Amino acid sequence: MKTVLSKFSVLAAGLICLLLSVHVYAYGVSVEHASGRIKDNVYLMDAMIRYDLSDSVLEAVNHGIQLHFEVTIELRRERTWIWDDVVKTTRLDYLLQYQPLSNDYLVTDLSKGSVQTLPELDDALQYLGTINNYPLMEQAEYSAEAPYRCFIMSSLKIPTLPLPLQPLAYISPKWRLTSQWYEWTIR
């Protein structure tokens, strides 16, 4: 009977650890989808980036800390014998902040200078992660001799946080909000 109880307790402890680890790591940044198409001789890109903020980051935002996210897009031409040629690198910068007086969230596109006001954090994060019709390359720049590969990723820029918060953000995994590179091919 003791072995059955000890096996059950080990199984229960393992299950609890598994559930806690899922809860602990339920935050981060991920590129869900990205693709493109040619319209009016311009290659337009669409992307969907998911931002799941940790409790520490949510608390900071709700106390007025601005979060600066950078989306990096790289266009590379495939080559057979040597590494791929980086044709273009683009960085899109966004600010996410909370306005306590109006109880709204602001998403500022620093590249365009536009500001979007949203009532809920989930709406702001969805808006922040949606890129539509971004002009990546003109068709005249495109060489049909080799395929191109596009890469996109997003990350929180820790050096833009207030100075007292930066050491914590550098050492805490809850603040390391960086996606993996997402890749697709242009033919």
Side-chain angles (χ1 to χ4, degrees):
M1 183 71 172
K2 280 186 175 182
T3 36
V4 171
L5 280 176
S6 66
K7 287 182 182 180
F8 178 74
S9 61
V10 168
L11 181 63
L15 184 59
I16 289 170
C17 288
L18 178 66
L19 290 174
L20 287 175
S21 68
V22 168
H23 176 71
V24 168
Y25 291 104
Y27 54 85
V29 178
S30 62
V31 178
E32 299 290 318
H33 178 73
S35 64
R37 69 198 173 289
I38 294 179
K39 182 178 179 185
D40 298 329
N41 295 322
V42 176
Y43 185 79
L44 301 175
M45 182 197 76
D46 298 324
M48 180 57 66
I49 303 169
R50 183 179 175 96
Y51 294 93
D52 292 315
L53 306 181
S54 68
D55 293 339
S56 301
V57 176
L58 287 173
E59 183 180 351
V61 168
N62 289 327
H63 283 92
I65 302 295
Q66 292 183 356
L67 300 182
H68 183 166
F69 288 96
E70 181 179 77
V71 176
T72 305
I73 306 163
E74 275 193 7
L75 182 63
R76 299 179 190 169
R77 184 173 46 244
E78 288 185 18
R79 296 196 279 191
T80 308
W81 298 105
I82 55 177
W83 55 88
D84 294 344
D85 181 30
V86 177
V87 176
K88 185 176 190 178
T89 300
T90 304
R91 288 183 176 74
L92 307 175
D93 293 301
Y94 300 94
L95 282 180
L96 172 66
Q97 64 188 97
Y98 176 67
Q99 295 294 307
L101 293 177
S102 63
N103 201 26
D104 289 326
Y105 292 88
L106 301 179
V107 177
T108 306
D109 182 341
L110 297 174
S111 307
K112 295 179 184 174
S114 63
V115 179
Q116 183 69 35
T117 304
L118 298 148
E120 301 292 328
L121 178 62
D122 288 341
D123 297 336
L125 293 173
Q126 185 172 359
Y127 182 82
L128 175 69
T130 304
I131 300 172
N132 287 322
N133 299 320
Y134 181 77
L136 191 58
M137 160 178 68
E138 292 191 27
Q139 195 170 13
E141 299 174 76
Y142 180 78
S143 169
E145 296 171 7
Y148 288 77
R149 292 187 308 163
C150 253
F151 297 85
I152 185 171
M153 60 99 61
S154 180
S155 63
L156 173 66
K157 293 187 70 168
I158 292 175
T160 63
L161 293 171
L163 199 54
L165 189 56
Q166 288 181 23
L168 173 67
Y170 277 117
I171 63 171
S172 172
K174 293 180 180 183
W175 283 87
R176 282 192 221 115
L177 299 174
T178 300
S179 73
Q180 299 291 320
W181 284 99
Y182 184 93
E183 174 185 352
W184 72 101
T185 301
I186 303 171
R187 299 209 181 264

